[in-house]
Amino acid sequence: MHHLLLTNIKQLCQVETGEIYKNRVSGADMKQLPSIENAWLYIEEGKIHSFGRMDDVQPVPATDVIDVSDKLVLPAWVDSHTHLVFACSREKEFVDRINGLSYEEIARRGGGILNSAARLNEMDENELYEQSLKRLHEVIAQGTGAIEIKSGYGLTLDGELKMLRVIRKLKENSPIPIKASFLAAHTYPTDYKDNHDGYLNLIINTMLPLVASEGLADYMDVFCEQGFFSVDETSRLLEAGWKYGLKPKIHANQLHYSGGVEIGVKHNAISVDHLECVGEPEIEVLKGSNTIPTLLPGAAFFLGMHYQPARKMIDGGLPVCLATDYNPGSCPSGNVPLLLTLACTQLKMTPEEAINAVTINGAAALELTDEIGSIAVGKKANLIITKPMPSPAYIPYDYGNNPVEKMVLNGVVS
Ligand code: NIG
Ligand code: FE
């Protein structure tokens, strides 16, 4: 059996020493990134067994010892919101936006999500799987150690099932935990443009029972937005999801003050995601809830929109989470280190806050804090060994570059 000991770790970041794992980090506590300098870490059977300071190193039956002098060790990132399974890139729309069209205008003309759905429905399941697996390996190499992936580019029964089966196959074959969200309510397909009830009925009465009976999804997602799914439609869908045990994680308040935050909280959403359009009332609603606000600044960056009010949320005591939103339209990048840079430079989060947001709070947004998100005894050994660097702040500072030297996945160095 493989028993790995890491020694001379310059800084072991995001350690937890309490008996009970933290289930999130909120408000002012997000400024703290508990760390041990000059540390060791011992892994047995893929799990974190013990750790401490080098001057207090315990004898352990290691089969492998790696000296990581000058390097940091962190828990791998948890990317809690992605659309990593998709069939084609959309750089034409990127150019259309440069030339003055808006994201919403492109969508109204049948581009956007509908464009992705047309391509995905044509693509063979194996081809879709192979392309998606490649992307998954790329983001793992940039430090991602757990991920959520959505459906929502099918918009037909067959297309949605195809996407969810691809996600299931990724789950079965990938070295990292994956959660799946069912997002048939991503946009109205052309055939149902003027028949919203027809599409809602298709989702609720046909798709959901099949998705649930095959165990294909962990969460229910809806793009709650003007021009997409209204608050009332979202409400119907989330209620139906709950009946099948699918908890809500929804797209809310990306393009407008659309009431998405309130309806998500009302339905006990695990998280409400995007939040470009959030003010005091939405923040107040979030404060009185268990729902995690997940910010996706990569989409705001790529669409040239204003950024999420992260400071107000953190200063208001909320457990802010960050995720990439990796998708071919609004954010064609699953690069978490770059996301950290955006969080620091544009959202004015400190590096410690940003790292908390993609580790413990990312795990919380996927209900995985028992397994990942921090360096704690018994948690899965999915870790980042960085290149030599002075401190965690260097990760967002050194922007555009990959901080990862090696990943440890289930205790195995790759
Ligand atoms: O999270 N906002 C809705 N869905 C995706 C983008 C979908 C697309 O443009 O393909 C998002 O930004
Ligand atoms: Fe999204």
Side-chain angles (χ1 to χ4, degrees):
M1 198 58 214
H2 194 69
H3 294 173
L4 176 65
L5 176 65
L6 303 178
T7 60
N8 297 313
I9 303 167
K10 184 179 170 70
Q11 195 173 328
L12 181 63
C13 304
Q14 191 65 301
V15 296
E16 276 196 76
T17 48
E19 299 264 296
I20 299 168
Y21 301 142
K22 291 181 196 164
N23 63 13
R24 60 187 58 195
V25 194
S26 306
D29 290 343
M30 290 187 72
K31 283 210 165 48
Q32 305 303 324
L33 188 68
S35 298
I36 303 175
E37 283 179 23
N38 198 17
W40 59 273
L41 171 76
Y42 176 58
I43 298 162
E44 258 189 32
E45 324 253 316
K47 298 237 163 87
I48 297 169
H49 177 277
S50 44
F51 55 87
R53 292 181 48 81
M54 277 312 282
D55 53 19
D56 187 24
V57 68
Q58 310 290 321
V60 289
T63 55
D64 271 313
V65 181
I66 305 182
D67 182 317
V68 292
S69 298
D70 303 323
K71 300 164 193 176
L72 319 181
V73 172
L74 300 102
W77 322 127
V78 181
D79 191 354
S80 64
H81 180 137
T82 84
H83 309 247
L84 173 136
V85 173
F86 57 85
C88 71
S89 59
R90 304 214 313 253
E91 65 282 357
K92 187 176 170 302
E93 295 171 14
F94 166 66
V95 177
D96 287 344
R97 280 201 306 280
I98 296 168
N99 288 323
L101 284 184
S102 73
Y103 180 72
E104 287 170 282
E105 181 57 31
I106 291 167
R108 274 197 297 273
R109 294 179 181 197
I113 297 164
L114 289 175
N115 177 3
S116 283
R119 301 288 85 73
L120 186 132
N121 277 286
E122 289 159 7
M123 187 174 272
D124 158 78
E125 189 169 317
N126 283 329
E127 166 75 17
L128 189 62
Y129 171 74
E130 291 302 331
Q131 283 201 15
S132 306
L133 185 65
K134 186 165 163 275
R135 283 183 212 118
L136 185 65
H137 284 303
E138 282 165 6
V139 298
I140 291 173
Q142 292 164 337
T144 298
I147 199 165
E148 181 260 17
I149 308 174
K150 300 173 190 303
S151 72
Y153 291 130
L155 311 179
T156 57
L157 175 62
D158 286 351
E160 287 295 307
L161 290 177
K162 176 159 69 180
M163 281 191 86
L164 290 167
R165 288 183 186 132
V166 165
I167 300 172
R168 178 168 64 192
K169 200 162 159 202
L170 292 171
K171 277 191 192 191
E172 289 164 358
N173 296 307
S174 102
I176 70 170
I178 297 179
K179 292 264 179 135
S181 300
F182 175 51
L183 178 60
H186 202 182
T187 194
Y188 282 98
T190 315
D191 290 353
Y192 291 93
K193 208 162 131 271
D194 301 312
N195 178 14
H196 286 193
D197 261 352
Y199 191 53
L200 296 180
N201 288 335
L202 176 68
I203 295 177
I204 293 168
N205 302 327
T206 308
M207 294 189 191
L208 249 179
L210 277 170
V211 167
S213 73
E214 283 195 45
L216 286 169
D218 302 293
Y219 299 109
M220 183 77 181
D221 198 347
V222 177
F223 188 14
C224 181
E225 190 59 72
Q226 285 176 34
F228 294 83
F229 291 79
S230 71
V231 165
D232 287 345
E233 292 165 349
T234 302
S235 190
R236 250 182 91 185
L237 289 159
L238 297 187
E239 214 164 277
W242 267 116
K243 286 205 182 108
Y244 289 94
L246 300 188
K247 298 177 189 171
K249 268 174 81 68
I250 68 166
H251 284 73
N253 296 53
Q254 178 186 10
L255 308 171
H256 301 278
Y257 289 81
S258 54
V261 169
E262 289 85 342
I263 203 67
V265 166
K266 189 169 162 216
H267 287 269
N268 291 312
I270 298 296
S271 68
V272 286
D273 303 18
H274 263 296
L275 311 186
E276 281 84 338
C277 300
V278 155
E280 288 303 331
E282 287 83 3
I283 293 177
E284 281 309 310
V285 166
L286 284 162
K287 277 192 205 167
S289 80
N290 262 325
T291 300
I292 293 182
T294 297
L295 313 184
L296 313 174
F301 166 71
F302 197 68
L303 296 180
M305 290 192 56
H306 55 269
Y307 287 97
Q308 296 83 357
R311 276 272 48 95
K312 283 197 179 134
M313 294 178 160
I314 296 174
D315 297 343
L318 293 176
V320 164
C321 171
L322 288 163
T324 64
D325 198 20
Y326 191 5
N327 77 77
S330 65
C331 185
S333 165
N335 186 323
V336 173
L338 188 55
L339 166 69
L340 295 174
T341 300
L342 288 175
C344 293
T345 59
Q346 307 304 306
L347 275 59
K348 307 290 178 216
M349 292 171 71
T350 66
E352 292 76 15
E353 288 171 336
I355 291 171
N356 273 309
V358 290
T359 54
I360 290 196
N361 288 352
L366 293 184
E367 301 179 288
L368 284 174
T369 46
D370 284 351
E371 232 185 286
I372 47 164
S374 68
I375 307 288
V377 171
K379 284 203 185 185
K380 191 187 276 297
N382 280 13
L383 314 170
I384 295 169
I385 301 175
T386 69
K387 294 171 180 159
M389 61 177 65
S391 73
Y394 187 82
I395 298 173
Y397 161 84
D398 187 35
Y399 87 97
N401 293 319
N402 188 1
V404 175
E405 180 166 284
K406 288 196 168 77
M407 292 298 290
V408 178
L409 298 173
N410 303 305
V412 179
V413 182
S414 59

